[in-house]
Amino acid sequence: MDYAATGQQALARIAEAQDLDTLEKLRVEFLGKQGSISALLKTLGAMSPEQRQDEGPRIHALRESVTAALGERKSVLESAALDARLAAETVDLSLPAPEAPRGTVHPVSQVMDELAEIFADLGFAVASGPEIEDDWHNFTALNMPESHPARAMHDTFYFPDKDGQGRSMLLRTHTSPVQIRTMLAQGAPLRIIAPGRVYRSDSDATHTPMFHQVEGLVIDKGIHLGHLKWTLETFLKAFFEREDIVLRLRPSYFPFTEPSVEVDVGFALVNGKRVLGGSGDAPGHGWMELLGSGMVNRKVIEFGGLDPDEWQGFAFGIGVDRLAMLKYGMDDLRAFFDGDQRWLAHYGFSALDVPTLSGGVGTPA
Ligand code: 2NL
């Protein structure tokens, strides 16, 4: 049989195929299970050995030339298809990019950054320490011995087991243990703030079991209450961005300070809202309790490894969540820790607007 005509016809049709679909149909038509060339191959089985020796090589040559032609045409059509796609799918670089979702800074983080910035300017370093403490660093070193009633006042979360030295383990109830650790590690003189999470077993509209505190500690020679008052006044003026912040110091009691002073700030009632500024004694004004402080108790200086006849100091403690509420007008403490995206979208701060003294520690109006 003459296979040349069959071959030429097949090669011509392959050369004419304009797309990959058509080419695939041709492959099935010639080489598929029911294909015409496959059928020719099957006829070999029924031939005599002599005929098979004559026809076999020619049928196989036919199949090989068709297979090769299909392969070549396929790569031509594939690169043509790619060229067409590249020409069609151009990217318009002038189109605006879709806006990427942007996170916000939590008000508590924002306020802690503001505090660090203001106190850094006054020469304070930021100190940190463990949230899981032992009762020596959290209580004993702060002049709150085993039986001290203030230990009970702190509503402490205790762990069931003691540490290797037989000390009870607990979640720190204030950041004071950080300051004890820093005194022991660095000695004096010292100017630090210790911001961070603290824990007390207390939960209602104005108390959450976890809240944030910043404590400050200055240890140096000849430190007195005047340094304390100036430092707090300077800090509060910078934080609330008002020059007319007026402080009132009242006698108080903390086991770790002697004397101890409660610090009130004057406010005015504006449309029924408290706005800090001015003397609390002026008509229509009042005093708001803002923080506790005092001169560091001699015993605490000793527990910090220093000689209280040589070194004196002052210390203070403030609730960070409360500061954030006062500055940014948020009225429900519990919303701080709900993780509600809508609240964060409303009160959150831009990650790009980092507080600086030159640029302002507040946020743009
Ligand atoms: C408050 C009162 C206060 C301190 C914290 C302190 C720390 C050391 C030594 C002495 Cl290491 N004192 N901290 C002092 C006075 C008051 O916090 O009502 N905070 C919310």
Side-chain angles (χ1 to χ4, degrees):
M1 213 178 130
D2 179 18
Y3 302 112
T6 313
Q8 271 172 10
Q9 213 177 12
L11 296 184
R13 288 182 63 199
I14 289 167
E16 279 162 20
Q18 293 305 310
D19 56 70
L20 290 163
D21 275 352
T22 308
L23 196 67
E24 173 61 11
K25 280 183 189 131
L26 290 176
R27 189 193 65 78
V28 172
E29 184 182 331
F30 302 138
L31 301 173
K33 256 196 183 140
Q34 317 289 331
S36 52
I37 296 174
S38 307
L40 288 175
L41 282 163
K42 280 176 204 155
T43 62
L44 288 171
M47 290 178 192
S48 66
E50 295 76 24
Q51 198 182 1
R52 195 182 303 136
Q53 218 167 35
D54 173 43
E55 307 251 334
R58 293 194 289 126
I59 296 176
H60 280 290
L62 170 66
R63 192 192 61 166
E64 266 155 44
S65 69
V66 167
T67 302
L70 282 167
E72 280 162 30
R73 186 69 187 149
K74 190 176 178 199
S75 64
V76 169
L77 289 176
E78 273 174 352
S79 68
L82 182 61
D83 287 345
R85 260 189 68 192
L86 288 175
E89 296 177 10
T90 52
V91 178
D92 184 350
L93 294 176
S94 70
L95 285 173
E99 196 158 338
R102 210 178 284 158
T104 55
V105 174
H106 193 282
V108 171
S109 303
Q110 169 80 16
V111 166
M112 291 206 287
D113 290 347
E114 293 174 12
L115 296 173
E117 180 70 17
I118 292 167
F119 277 106
D121 192 52
L122 300 177
F124 287 66
V126 173
S128 59
E131 290 177 25
I132 296 173
E133 266 295 359
D134 58 71
D135 68 351
W136 189 88
H137 286 95
N138 194 81
F139 290 130
T140 310
L142 286 140
N143 191 33
M144 298 159 89
E146 219 74 41
S147 60
H148 201 287
R151 281 208 189 195
M153 272 163 49
H154 275 208
D155 301 308
T156 312
F157 287 112
Y158 282 96
F159 288 87
D161 298 322
K162 297 192 189 308
D163 74 359
Q165 298 170 70
R167 293 169 174 173
S168 296
M169 299 297 286
L170 47 83
L171 291 175
R172 69 182 184 195
T173 59
H174 44 189
T175 61
S176 312
V178 175
Q179 294 171 299
I180 297 295
R181 287 178 181 280
T182 310
M183 281 169 80
L184 288 169
Q186 296 180 16
L190 206 60
R191 272 190 241 176
I192 51 167
I193 57 166
R197 296 189 181 101
V198 298
Y199 303 83
R200 293 186 195 175
S201 176
D202 206 350
S203 189
D204 59 37
T206 54
H207 297 86
T208 48
M210 186 280 297
F211 59 102
H212 299 84
Q213 197 195 24
V214 61
E215 285 202 17
L217 175 70
V218 169
I219 304 277
D220 212 323
K221 291 184 177 173
I223 295 294
H224 55 70
L225 268 181
H227 297 120
L228 166 63
K229 191 183 182 198
W230 180 87
T231 303
L232 292 177
E233 192 176 294
T234 304
F235 150 60
L236 291 171
K237 283 178 177 174
F239 179 74
F240 289 109
E241 299 179 294
R242 291 184 72 119
E243 268 305 305
D244 62 347
I245 297 288
V246 181
L247 303 192
R248 183 178 74 174
L249 271 54
R250 273 183 300 114
S252 183
Y253 173 77
F254 300 109
F256 24 88
T257 45
E258 182 59 37
S260 301
V261 287
E262 209 82 57
V263 178
D264 300 337
V265 180
F267 66 85
L269 275 176
V270 181
N271 302 323
K273 277 201 161 189
R274 291 171 167 204
V275 177
L276 293 190
S279 164
D281 291 329
H285 287 231
W287 294 105
M288 185 191 307
E289 189 179 312
L290 195 60
L291 60 100
S293 61
M295 301 308 296
V296 180
N297 190 301
R298 292 174 58 88
K299 287 190 188 154
V300 177
I301 292 191
E302 273 174 8
F303 279 122
L306 298 170
D307 177 358
D309 289 326
E310 192 182 352
W311 301 101
Q312 297 75 44
F314 70 79
F316 54 89
I318 324 168
V320 175
D321 312 304
R322 175 104 190 295
L323 279 180
M325 291 170 81
L326 270 174
K327 182 164 178 178
Y328 294 110
M330 295 165 288
D331 48 20
D332 186 357
L333 173 69
R334 287 169 297 188
F336 275 61
F337 312 119
D338 282 344
D340 188 327
Q341 294 272 343
R342 293 164 300 178
W343 186 85
L344 285 169
H346 187 74
Y347 286 114
F349 296 91
S350 164
L352 302 174
D353 182 34
V354 177
T356 58
L357 285 178
S358 54
V361 288
T363 50

